[in-house]
Structures are given as C-alpha cells and as structure tokens.
Amino acid sequence: MTFEHDELVAAWGEPQTSRVVDRLHRFAFIPNELLEKLAETALPENWGRNNHVLKKYLAVQVAWSIEQTQYTEGDGQFYVTAGHLQTRYGTPIYLAFARNRNPDREPFYLVSVEANMSAPRLPVPPEIPTPNAIPRGVEIVMMHDHILDDNSDRVPFFAETPRVAQMCAVSGAIQWPLNRNLHLPYWYLGQISYVVPLHLSSREDITLAPDLIAPIQVNPGSLLVRTVLKPVMPFGNARVAVQRHDQLPHWLLQAWKEHAINATEDEIENPESVRSA
C-alpha cells in the first residue's frame, strides 16, 4: 500500500496556522511513550512541560519532510527523520508512521521511534527554509498600538516617554543588532522570518539577555515590527528554525532554562498572541 504525496499533504491541513501541535495531532496519533522515547534518545534538551516544544518541533519539521517529499516508504509504513534530531553519537533518529485502521480517528499513527530503524530505504532530514534577506536602510514600520499600549508592561521604562520618542527608541534598538547580524531565524505562521534582540537599557554585554525581542516581517521596502516580546517567549519558534539547540544564543538558552517549567502551551504555540496580564 503506497502513500500518495497529495494524500499526506492534505492530511496535514491548512499550513497557515499558529496551532501546529493541534495540526500534528489531527494528522497522526502520537503515543506519549514514543514522544518520551524520542526525548530520551535525542541529545538532551529542555523541551518544557509535557515536551510541548518537542511536539511543536515535530509538527513543523515532519510537515516539512512531507511537503519536500523527504520521506520513504515500505512494509505498509512511511518513514521520516525526527527533524534534525540526533543521538549522542550523531546518529539521525527516524519515525515510522502507518495508516490508522480506525476510521473515526487520525488518518495515521506513529508506530516507532528508532535510531536504528529497519526500513527498505532511510529518509534524510528536511531542509529548513531560508528566510528572505533583510534589506539595509529600509523603513522600519511598527504596529505601535500593540507594542506600546496592549503590552505596555513589557516596556515600563517608556512610561514617562513621549510616544514619538518611544517609537524612535524601538526603531533604533532594532537597527543596531541588524547592523551586527544579531537577529535570529524564527518560525511564524508557516514561514521563517526573524526576531531581533532589543538592548534598550544596556549594550555593555550582548551575551546577556536583551530587554525585549522584536519579531520582524520582511516586506518589499520595509520591515514590519508586529510586537515586542519578553526575551524567553520566542524560544519554541526559534528552536524550530535551527538544526541544533546549541545554535541558539547562550542568553536565550539560559532564559529558557529558567522559564521552561512555567511556559504555557499557548505561549509556546503562539507567543505573539499572549497578552500581558
């Protein structure tokens, strides 16, 4: 029994969604014991409560494998890599899926997680999409109501600062790290874009966490700044966009280490929708 590419792609549903873990669970049943096995087999990482960052990672990376036809099949199963995850010895980790025989459930289910997968031919990891290059010298456009009103508690040092001065400060804080290539790849709504660290109070040690993070959207002739986030909030989306977690900056890994136990699933799924308290 073969697995048609159109069938697999259609089973994933709409790609333009921030709720990718829900999308993964609609595609396939993922037994919790196999998710735990994957976390234990791979190089140690902090995947947050209930391994939710790992679920998000799989939801994006496995979808890329299907979309890019980076899967193999045989023995009534299809095989993908677990994204770019590897064992402590550098061996890729593979996932095997089969059709779900229960017509009232997900169309597929995860059968096994193995570094030594028995398959007629093993797949290769998907390619992480390359974001659009950031043009230099273009206008920085800010959704200032969302940045400076809806989430004003994230920028308390602006409380007594005039609105135009606030916007100029954020704009300048965005340009400074861009000139030094400090921006990070960041998955959002089916695409890879960037987040930029904003050092508003000090630039003496840029290995330390910045004051804020700004997701930016690259448009022709402009950069759109949708919101500002606390430094740890984009971890899940940033982890999806790199092959290994050590490719993320030290300050982000440290901030996540301290915050992971408190991170909610909503924050991990879509940090830009989380409203300040």
Side-chain angles (χ1 to χ4, degrees):
M1 183 180 296
T2 61
F3 298 87
E4 297 294 335
H5 183 244
D6 289 347
E7 173 196 11
L8 296 177
V9 171
W12 276 100
E14 173 57 49
Q16 299 295 323
T17 176
S18 62
R19 309 295 302 186
V20 290
V21 173
D22 292 344
R23 188 175 180 233
L24 172 66
H25 288 312
R26 286 193 297 269
F27 176 79
F29 175 68
I30 310 293
N32 189 60
E33 60 269 22
L34 291 183
L35 190 70
E36 292 285 351
K37 180 180 180 180
L38 176 58
E40 292 170 1
T41 303
L43 279 167
E45 292 191 45
N46 189 335
W47 296 110
R49 285 189 296 173
N50 300 319
N51 289 317
H52 201 77
V53 174
L54 178 56
K55 295 176 189 176
K56 179 163 193 171
Y57 179 86
L58 290 180
V60 176
Q61 293 271 346
V62 173
W64 282 339
S65 289
I66 299 302
E67 292 164 2
Q68 298 171 20
T69 325
Q70 299 292 9
Y71 61 90
T72 62
E73 57 182 289
D75 301 324
Q77 300 176 347
F78 71 88
Y79 309 91
V80 296
T81 61
H84 293 261
L85 298 184
Q86 297 182 345
T87 69
R88 295 163 178 80
Y89 307 105
T91 306
I93 303 172
Y94 302 96
L95 311 177
F97 290 86
R99 278 193 171 85
N100 196 333
R101 296 180 180 179
N102 187 334
D104 299 321
R105 297 293 300 272
E106 305 85 351
F108 306 101
Y109 70 96
L110 180 62
V111 177
S112 61
V113 173
E114 300 289 346
N116 298 309
M117 182 72 73
S118 176
R121 185 169 60 90
L122 291 172
V124 298
E127 178 182 345
I128 298 176
T130 302
N132 294 330
I134 298 178
R136 300 302 181 186
V138 296
E139 181 181 7
I140 296 175
V141 179
M142 289 182 288
M143 299 178 67
H144 54 81
D145 289 341
H146 186 55
I147 295 172
L148 303 173
D149 292 333
D150 296 344
N151 297 304
S152 59
D153 68 318
R154 297 177 189 168
V155 284
F157 36 81
F158 283 162
E160 305 301 325
T161 305
R163 175 56 60 89
V164 172
Q166 293 175 356
M167 295 172 64
C168 290
V170 173
S171 178
I174 289 170
Q175 196 63 60
W176 189 83
L178 288 180
N179 291 339
R180 289 155 182 81
N181 295 316
L182 298 179
H183 48 285
L184 314 174
Y186 170 80
W187 180 94
Y188 184 70
L189 288 181
Q191 297 181 334
I192 299 292
S193 55
Y194 301 96
V195 286
V196 180
L198 305 184
H199 297 272
L200 289 156
S201 59
S202 174
R203 295 174 181 169
E204 294 178 3
D205 188 352
I206 59 174
T207 65
L208 299 178
D211 298 291
L212 298 166
I213 291 288
I216 61 173
Q217 176 180 311
V218 180
N219 295 327
S222 70
L223 300 177
L224 176 66
V225 183
R226 297 185 295 266
T227 187
V228 292
L229 307 173
K230 295 178 181 179
V232 73
M233 292 176 72
F235 178 82
N237 286 10
R239 178 62 187 93
V240 162
V242 294
Q243 292 186 6
R244 304 186 316 274
H245 71 288
D246 61 283
Q247 293 173 318
L248 297 172
H250 172 75
W251 61 259
L252 180 55
L253 293 174
Q254 185 60 35
W256 174 249
K257 180 180 178 181
E258 298 170 359
H259 178 69
I261 191 64
N262 297 315
T264 66
E265 292 187 1
D266 283 342
E267 177 185 321
I268 294 169
E269 277 287 80
N270 187 5
E272 297 190 28
S273 71
V274 176
R275 297 291 294 271
S276 297

